[in-house]
C-alpha cells in the first residue's frame, strides 16, 4: 500500500469526532443519521425501485425507461436501458421557464483576475450555437470528439455541445503531451478536436494548438477532419487549411437554438482516459442516464446544494472531478458555480481564499495536495493566510483525489471552515462517475482522515483476495458488491481488459474491485482508504501508472537499458515518483548523473506530460532481481523511502546493487 505508514498510523489512532451542527442537520436535505439510514433501508428493501424512483425524480426523460437494471450480461450492467434523454437538456433546457433561467450559471475568473458571468439562458444559447457549429462540420451522434482545452467557459461549452448532439467527448488534460493526445485520438477514433491557441496559467501563455498539430502530424490521426480553435489570447497560431477553424469563424451565422438529440440511457456520454496498473491508459466509458443521475444526486446529497449556494470545485475539466462537479453536476442542480482558469499560487498563494471572499463561495471542493501546499505558503507568509480573507460565506468544504491526512484536515477545518463547516472527504474514482463513500454534511459525524460511510445503495465492503468479507478493524481490498448507476460501462474498445481489471474471476466476476486498500473502524464501521494496492501512483491527486513511466523511460533507447518506477511518500504531493534506471553506458555520478537525470525528466515530460516527471532518479549498474529475473519492487520501495533494507535479500541475484541504488542524484 502506498500511503506512508506514519500517515496511516495517525489515522488509526484518530479519535476526534465532529458531529454536524444542529442547524445544518435541521436544514439539510438528508437530515441526521436517521435520514441517511432511511435511504439506506429503502435501497435495501427494493434496490431497483429505489434507483428507479430517483432516476424519475432527478432526470428529465424524453422516453421513460421501463427496466431499471439489466444484469443479464454482468459485469456489463445496464441501467434504465430503454429510456432516452439528453445530458445537456438535463443541465440547461430543464431550467428554462423556471426562476433558474436568469440565474448566474458560471462565474468565470480568468488567470489574470478578469471576471465574466453567464446566466443559464445565455449558456444554453452558447452551447446550442457551438453544437450547430459542430453539426455544420459534420460531427454527429455517435462520433467521438477530443477536447484539449484550458479551464474556460468555452471548455464547458465544448463538452455540453458534444452532449447536446450525442457526440461522445474525450477530454485530455491540458498538461498532457502531444504523444498522449495522439494516442487518445487514435484509440477513440476522434473525428474532431476542440482546442485553444494557448492557455493561461500563472501569468504564462502555454501552447495547446501546436501540441495538437504535433500529435496529428505524428501519424495515425487521419480520422480527425476538423480542429476547432478557441482564440484564448491574441497570439497568432498556425492554421492548417481545410482542417482548422477558429471559434469565431465556426460560430459565424449559427443559430443559438439547437434541439437536444435524445440518446439511449446507455449511450456513451464520454470516454476519459486514466492510468491503470498495466499498459497504456484506458478509456473509461461512461453512460448518459446513470452518470447524469449520479452527477445530480451527489450535488444534492453530498453538497446539499441549495438555490442560494455558490459552488466552487477547483478541479480541471481534464479530470473526472471536473466532468462531474464542474461540467455536469452543478448545472444539473441549477447552482451558480465558480470556474477558475489559473493556479492556486498566482499571483500569490492567497488566491483561493481571496476568490472565496470575492465570489461569496458557500461550498468549496478541492484536493488535499492543494491544501497542503497552501498550508506551507500560509506558514511562511501571513499575507496569504486564509484569515486575511472573509470566509464567512462558506458552509460546506470538500476534499477529493487522495487520502487527506488528519493534520491537513484539521487545518482546513479550523482555518478555512472556521470550525463551522463540515468537510466531506469524498472517496471515488474515474471509474465510479461520482462520490461513493463520503460523509453527508447534515448527517454524518466526521472523523479526520476518514471518508466515513457509503452513500445509500452503495454496497462497499472490505474483502480478501477471494472476495470474502473481512471483519471490521482489519485492512483489505475495497470492493463494491452491487452495481450502481454511474459505474464505468467498459473500457473503450477493450471489454476483456474491463472484465479483467475490475471484476476479477477469483472474486466471482461480478464484484467491482476498486484497486484501493482500506480498513473499516472496528466500532463505527467508518472506511479509511489507505491508498492504491496496485502499480498506480497518486501524485498530487493525479493518477499515474508506474508501467507508463517505465515505458516512457525505456523508449529513450539510445540511453536507457532498463527502468523501474515506484512511489514514495511525500509530505506535499502525497506520493512522489522515484525511478531506478540502468543506462546503456557506465553508471554516471556527480555532474554527469545530474545532467542525464534532467534529460530523462524532460523526456518523460515530452512522452507523457510534466506531471509524470520523476522526482528522484537513481542510477545503478543493474536492478535488484531474483534469480529468475524478476525485479524486486518492494526493495525498491524501501530504497526510495530511504529505509535501510531489513527484508530478506537471500533470493536476490545481485545484493551489492542495493548500496548503489540507495544513493540519490
Ligand atoms: C484516490 C479521482 C482517499 C484513490 C476522483 C482512488 C482517494 C484514486 C480519495 C482515484 C479520498 C480519491 N480518500 N483516496 N477521498 N479520493 N482517492 O480516478 O486511490 O483520479 O483509487 O479519481 O484516488 O483517482 P481518480
Amino acid at each position: 500500500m502506498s500511503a506512508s505508514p506514519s500517515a496511516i498510523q495517525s489515522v488509526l489512532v484518530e479519535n476526534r469526532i465532529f458531529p454536524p451542527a444542529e442547524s445544518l442537520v435541521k436544514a439539510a436535505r438528508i437530515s441526521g443519521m436517521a435520514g441517511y439510514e432511511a435511504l439506506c433501508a429503502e435501497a435495501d428493501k427494493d434496490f431497483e425501485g429505489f434507483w428507479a424512483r430517483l432516476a424519475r425524480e432527478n432526470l428529465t426523460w424524453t422516453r421513460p425507461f421501463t427496466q431499471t437494471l439489466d444484469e443479464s450480461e454482468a459485469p456489463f450492467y445496464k441501467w434504465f436501458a430503454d429510456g432516452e434523454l439528453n445530458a445537456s437538456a438535463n443541465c440547461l433546457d430543464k431550467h428554462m421557464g423556471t426562476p433558474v433561467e436568469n440565474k448566474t450559471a458560471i462565474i468565470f475568473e480568468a488567470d489574470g483576475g478578469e471576471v465574466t458571468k453567464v446566466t443559464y439562458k445565455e449558456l444554453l444559447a452558447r452551447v446550442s450555437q457551438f453544437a450547430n457549429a459542430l453539426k455544420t462540420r459534420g460531427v454527429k451522434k455517435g462520433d467521438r470528439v477530443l477536447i484539449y482545452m484550458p479551464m474556460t467557459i468555452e471548455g464547458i461549452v465544448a463538452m455540453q455541445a458534444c452532449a447536446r448532439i450525442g457526440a461522445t467527448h474525450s477530454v485530455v488534460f491540458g498538461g498532457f503531451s502531444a504523444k498522449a493526445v495522439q494516442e487518445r485520438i487514435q484509440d477513440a477514433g476522434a473525428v474532431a478536436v476542440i482546442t485553444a491557441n494557448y492557455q493561461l496559467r500563472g501569468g504564462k501563455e502555454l501552447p495547446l494548438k501546436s501540441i495538437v498539430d504535433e500529435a496529428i502530424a505524428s501519424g495515425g490521426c487521419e480520422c480527425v477532419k476538423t480542429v476547432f480553435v478557441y482564440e484564448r489570447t491574441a497570439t497568432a497560431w498556425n492554421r492548417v487549411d481545410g482542417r482548422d477553424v477558429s471559434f469565431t469563424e465556426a460560430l459565424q451565422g449559427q443559430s443559438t437554438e439547437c434541439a437536444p438529440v435524445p440518446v439511449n440511457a446507455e449511450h456513451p456520454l464520454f470516454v476519459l482516459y486514466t492510468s491503470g496498473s498495466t499498459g497504456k491508459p484506458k478509456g473509461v466509458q461512461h453512460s448518459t442516464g446513470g452518470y447524469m443521475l449520479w452527477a445530480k444526486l451527489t450535488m444534492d446529497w453530498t453538497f446539499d446544494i441549495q438555490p442560494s449556494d455558490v459552488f466552487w470545485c477547483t478541479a480541471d475539466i481534464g479530470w473526472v472531478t471536473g466532468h462531474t462537479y464542474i461540467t455536469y453536476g452543478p448545472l444539473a442542480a441549477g447552482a451558480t458555480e465558480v470556474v477558475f482558469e489559473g493556479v492556486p499560487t498566482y499571483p500569490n498563494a492567497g488566491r483561493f481564499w481571496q476568490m472565496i471572499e470575492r465570489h461569496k463561495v458557500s461550498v468549496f471542493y478541492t484536493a488535499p495536495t492543494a491544501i497542503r501546499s497552501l498550508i506551507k505558503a500560509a506558514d511562511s507568509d501571513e499575507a496569504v493566510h486564509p484569515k486575511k480573507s472573509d470566509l464567512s460565506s462558506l458552509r460546506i468544504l470538500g476534499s477529493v483525489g487522495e487520502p487527506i491526512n488528519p493534520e491537513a484536515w484539521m487545518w482546513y477545518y479550523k482555518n478555512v471552515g472556521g470550525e463551522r463547516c463540515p468537510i466531506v472527504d469524498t472517496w471515488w474514482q474515474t471509474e465510479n462517475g461520482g462520490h461513493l463513500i463520503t460523509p453527508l454534511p447534515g448527517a454524518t459525524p466526521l472523523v479526520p482522515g476518514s471518508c466515513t460511510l457509503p452513500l445509500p445503495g452503495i454496497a462497499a465492503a472490505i474483502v480478501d483476495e477471494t472476495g470474502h468479507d473481512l471483519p471490521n478493524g482489519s485492512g483489505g481490498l475495497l470492493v463494491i458488491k452491487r452495481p450502481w448507476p454511474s459505474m464505468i460501462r467498459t473500457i473503450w474498445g477493450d471489454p476483456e481488459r474491463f472484465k479483467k481489471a475490475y471484476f476479477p474471476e477469483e472474486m466471482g466476476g461480478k464484484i467491482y474491485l476498486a484497486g484501493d486498500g482500506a480498513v473499516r473502524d472496528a466500532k463505527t464501521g467508518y472506511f479509511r482508504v489507505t491508498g492504491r494496492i496496485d502499480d498506480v501512483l497518486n501524485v498530487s491527486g493525479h493518477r499515474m501508472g508506474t508501467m507508463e513511466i517505465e515505458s516512457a523511460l525505456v523508449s529513450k533507447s539510445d540511453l536507457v537499458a532498463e527502468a523501474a518506477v515506484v512511489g514514495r511518500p511525500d509530505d506535499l504531493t502525497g506520493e512522489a515518483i522515484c525511478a531506478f534506471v540502468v543506462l546503456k553506458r557506465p553508471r554516471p555520478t556527480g555532474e554527469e548523473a545530474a545532467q542525464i537525470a534532467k534529460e530523462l525528466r524532460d523526456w518523460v515530460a515530452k512522452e507523457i506530460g510534466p506531471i509524470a516527471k520523476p522526482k528522484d532518479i537513481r542510477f545503478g549498474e543493474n536492478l535488484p532481481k531474483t534469480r529468475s529475473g524478476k525485479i524486486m519492487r518492494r526493495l525498491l520501495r524501501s530504497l526510495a523511502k530511504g529505509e535501510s533494507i531489513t527484508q530478506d535479500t537471500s533470493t536476490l541475484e545481485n545484493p551489492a546493487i542495493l548500496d548503489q541504488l540507495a544513493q540519490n542524484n
Side-chain angles (χ1 to χ4, degrees):
M1 303 200 187
S2 48
S4 76
S6 63
I8 295 171
Q9 207 47 41
S10 65
V11 171
L12 290 178
V13 299
E14 183 60 61
N15 50 18
R16 288 170 286 200
I17 295 191
F18 299 83
E22 253 329 289
S23 55
L24 256 172
V25 175
K26 272 209 197 99
R29 210 174 257 106
I30 300 182
S31 175
M33 287 308 275
Y36 166 70
E37 279 154 14
L39 283 170
C40 294
E42 185 189 341
D44 266 356
K45 201 161 150 236
D46 178 9
F47 189 68
E48 291 193 35
F50 176 70
W51 294 122
R53 170 177 81 75
L54 292 167
R56 287 191 190 107
E57 287 173 7
N58 285 283
L59 296 176
T60 308
W61 298 86
T62 42
R63 185 183 141 163
F65 59 90
T66 60
Q67 190 185 10
T68 303
L69 172 62
D70 176 358
E71 303 190 77
S72 60
E73 289 166 52
F76 299 93
Y77 297 99
K78 294 193 189 81
W79 285 88
F80 321 118
D82 60 348
E84 284 185 1
L85 76 169
N86 179 280
S88 167
N90 269 281
C91 294
L92 302 170
D93 306 59
K94 81 167 197 195
H95 302 303
M96 296 307 116
T98 79
V100 177
E101 166 178 284
N102 292 313
K103 182 177 174 177
T104 300
I106 296 176
I107 304 172
F108 173 68
E109 183 165 316
D111 189 53
E114 310 80 27
V115 174
T116 319
K117 295 182 182 179
V118 288
T119 66
Y120 272 89
K121 206 174 188 171
E122 289 161 353
L123 188 60
L124 172 60
R126 282 169 74 164
V127 168
S128 300
Q129 210 181 18
F130 194 70
N132 285 328
L134 287 172
K135 286 202 284 193
T136 298
R137 282 282 176 146
V139 181
K140 54 182 193 315
K141 179 174 168 180
D143 285 343
R144 272 83 54 210
V145 175
L146 188 126
I147 298 179
Y148 189 58
M149 284 286 271
M151 281 298 296
T152 45
I153 297 173
E154 284 69 17
I156 296 168
V157 166
M159 293 167 78
Q160 286 277 347
C162 288
R164 197 159 187 87
I165 61 170
T168 300
H169 59 69
S170 185
V171 185
V172 178
F173 173 61
F176 278 120
S177 68
K179 179 135 188 262
V181 173
Q182 179 202 18
E183 283 169 3
R184 285 154 177 77
I185 289 175
Q186 287 174 346
D187 191 76
V191 302
V193 176
I194 307 174
T195 188
N197 62 339
Y198 284 86
Q199 57 180 331
L200 290 170
R201 283 173 76 82
K204 286 198 222 80
E205 213 173 306
L206 307 166
L208 286 175
K209 166 66 166 63
S210 62
I211 294 174
V212 171
D213 288 346
E214 191 188 334
I216 296 178
S218 317
C221 296
E222 295 72 25
C223 46
V224 176
K225 303 290 177 250
T226 309
V227 176
F228 294 90
V229 184
Y230 167 53
E231 293 170 302
R232 176 65 190 96
T233 68
T235 315
W237 48 280
N238 187 42
R239 179 188 293 264
V240 176
D241 282 329
R243 188 197 73 185
D244 298 353
V245 58
S246 75
F247 264 46
T248 319
E249 292 157 351
L251 292 170
Q252 190 91 47
Q254 295 291 1
S255 159
T256 52
E257 279 174 33
C258 170
V261 175
V263 299
N264 183 273
E266 284 295 313
H267 182 75
L269 177 60
F270 66 87
V271 172
L272 182 59
Y273 288 83
T274 192
S275 297
S277 45
T278 53
K280 287 191 174 155
K282 39 198 182 188
V284 172
Q285 179 180 324
H286 276 287
S287 70
T288 301
Y291 173 82
M292 282 308 297
L293 172 61
W294 215 254
K296 165 68 167 60
L297 206 55
T298 47
M299 286 301 296
D300 286 351
W301 283 356
T302 314
F303 298 123
D304 188 41
I305 211 81
Q306 302 290 342
S308 57
D309 274 321
V310 176
F311 178 78
W312 182 16
C313 165
T314 67
D316 189 287
I317 51 166
W319 310 113
V320 74
T321 308
H323 281 59
T324 310
Y325 300 107
I326 295 177
T327 301
Y328 292 108
L331 301 177
T336 294
E337 67 169 323
V338 172
V339 172
F340 178 42
E341 181 179 40
V343 297
T345 48
Y346 176 82
N348 59 60
R351 182 77 181 257
F352 275 6
W353 324 131
Q354 293 145 18
M355 281 181 65
I356 291 172
E357 172 176 337
R358 189 152 46 243
H359 304 300
K360 302 209 165 26
V361 172
S362 56
V363 183
F364 178 66
Y365 191 35
T366 195
T369 193
I371 297 165
R372 285 192 299 264
S373 74
L374 298 178
I375 296 176
K376 210 171 150 196
D379 281 350
S380 60
D381 180 6
E382 277 269 297
V384 299
H385 195 280
K387 69 183 173 207
K388 296 284 174 188
S389 300
D390 175 3
L391 305 180
S392 59
S393 56
L394 287 170
R395 61 181 205 95
I396 294 169
L397 301 175
S399 172
V400 60
E402 50 182 321
I404 178 164
N405 46 311
E407 297 72 21
W409 195 102
M410 283 309 304
W411 186 91
Y412 192 29
Y413 186 74
K414 279 193 184 142
N415 295 289
V416 183
E419 298 185 52
R420 167 186 96 248
C421 309
I423 299 178
V424 290
D425 175 3
T426 61
W427 176 85
W428 61 295
Q429 313 170 290
T430 304
E431 293 87 342
N432 307 154
H435 311 147
L436 291 193
I437 309 182
T438 175
L440 300 173
T444 321
L446 306 171
V447 171
S450 167
C451 53
T452 73
L453 297 168
L455 287 175
I458 296 300
I462 299 197
V463 301
D464 64 15
E465 264 82 16
T466 56
H468 290 102
D469 280 326
L470 289 169
N472 287 357
S474 49
L477 310 174
L478 178 56
V479 296
I480 315 292
K481 292 185 145 182
R482 297 193 79 172
W484 68 98
S486 65
M487 66 196 298
I488 174 177
R489 292 307 194 264
T490 187
I491 291 175
W492 182 261
D494 201 346
E496 274 313 305
R497 190 172 170 200
F498 164 76
K499 280 207 278 193
K500 248 176 95 180
Y502 302 112
F503 297 91
E505 275 305 318
E506 311 84 76
M507 294 189 184
K510 290 186 183 178
I511 294 182
Y512 174 81
L513 176 70
D516 276 328
V519 56
R520 292 187 79 160
D521 184 84
K523 271 206 287 278
T524 57
Y526 275 18
F527 284 79
R528 294 183 176 104
V529 174
T530 47
R532 302 287 307 192
I533 45 156
D534 50 12
D535 292 323
V536 173
L537 306 181
N538 192 328
V539 182
S540 297
H542 298 151
R543 260 169 85 166
M544 225 96 57
T546 52
M547 291 262 293
E548 258 174 280
I549 307 169
E550 285 165 12
S551 347
L553 285 167
V554 295
S555 72
K556 185 140 186 60
S557 53
D558 56 329
L559 196 60
V560 177
E562 209 177 0
V565 169
V566 299
R568 67 162 170 78
D570 183 279
D571 284 346
L572 214 54
T573 56
E575 273 189 295
I577 302 168
C578 186
F580 295 88
V581 178
V582 182
L583 296 178
K584 287 184 173 167
R585 61 164 89 167
R587 175 174 178 266
T589 53
E591 207 26 56
E592 192 196 3
Q595 195 261 319
I596 297 177
K598 179 177 181 307
E599 196 180 329
L600 291 179
R601 280 191 191 98
D602 292 344
W603 175 264
V604 172
K606 209 167 152 20
E607 286 289 292
I608 305 174
I611 51 173
K613 277 187 186 183
K615 186 158 184 184
D616 304 343
I617 295 188
R618 300 188 188 182
F619 297 106
E621 277 150 16
N622 206 335
L623 296 173
K625 288 179 193 154
T626 60
R627 292 199 175 87
S628 58
K630 202 168 164 300
I631 296 174
M632 296 184 73
R633 286 173 180 276
R634 65 182 168 85
L635 291 181
L636 291 177
R637 278 193 279 268
S638 298
L639 288 174
K641 274 188 222 163
E643 288 172 0
S644 46
I645 303 291
T646 51
Q647 293 113 315
D648 178 16
T649 54
S650 58
T651 54
L652 207 58
E653 168 79 41
N654 47 356
I657 211 70
L658 296 177
D659 288 338
Q660 249 180 27
L661 293 172
Q663 294 159 37
N664 212 346
N665 291 288

